Amino acid sequence: EVQPDALLRIEETCGGQSRAGADGFIEGAPELVVEISGSSASYDLHAKLNIYRRAGVREYVVWRVYDDAIDWFVQDEGRFVAQAPDEQGVYASRVFPGLRLPVQALLDGKLADVLASVQQGAQTQEHADFVKKLKSQGTAA
């Protein structure tokens, strides 16, 4: 049983593909999974990547600490496709509109800059539209 270092999920009542079971464990695939990888980079980029792909995780992020690199994969027609950051060096989530990760700031340990980018993304119209959609799906359930 894999246990990701971090994850983001959408409530099932809002259109997500997972739920919290009675025992507190997540049932189904979270939308986004993050692994922070030291010596386990090979395992995270091969075996775990395939496990998460088969489970239906929609986005998979691996922070390869020793390599000073971040990989962001998006599920596309049953396979994970590596994404590239934009021209400013920022990854943007396809599943969570407005979620942005500035690669160099994270790698340089500039967590205030990372947080500022996340907060800035949360202020965008695309994020507001996403939240509105989730709320409307949640009230329809």
Side-chain angles (χ1 to χ4, degrees):
E1 186 173 309
V2 264
Q3 297 176 340
D5 294 315
L7 61 87
L8 286 175
R9 56 182 283 275
I10 298 171
E11 290 285 336
E12 186 178 39
T13 58
C14 297
Q17 53 189 22
S18 65
R19 68 202 132 313
D23 58 3
F25 287 96
I26 294 173
E27 299 172 355
E31 279 68 28
L32 184 143
V33 167
V34 178
E35 293 289 353
I36 300 170
S37 195
S39 60
S40 64
S42 180
Y43 178 62
D44 292 334
L45 289 170
H46 295 93
K48 276 191 177 179
L49 180 136
N50 285 315
I51 290 167
Y52 291 135
R53 177 190 54 78
R54 286 192 308 269
V57 169
R58 295 175 58 196
E59 292 184 295
Y60 179 50
V61 179
V62 179
W63 179 1
R64 293 181 286 127
V65 177
Y66 295 153
D67 296 332
D68 211 25
I70 295 174
D71 301 296
W72 192 302
F73 301 93
V74 174
Q75 180 93 241
D76 182 24
E77 297 184 11
R79 61 189 179 94
F80 273 130
V81 177
Q83 301 300 292
D86 67 14
E87 53 278 349
Q88 285 86 36
V90 176
Y91 282 113
S93 174
R94 292 187 184 179
V95 177
F96 296 93
L99 176 60
R100 298 179 178 153
L101 180 66
V103 176
Q104 201 56 55
L106 183 61
L107 296 176
D108 291 344
K110 296 180 179 176
L111 300 183
D113 292 347
V114 173
L115 181 57
S117 180
V118 170
Q119 290 173 334
Q120 183 180 31
Q123 300 302 315
T124 63
Q125 186 60 50
E126 103 183 293
H127 181 72
D129 293 344
F130 174 65
V131 170
K132 184 178 178 180
K133 177 182 167 192
L134 291 178
K135 285 181 180 179
S136 71
Q137 289 175 323
T139 57

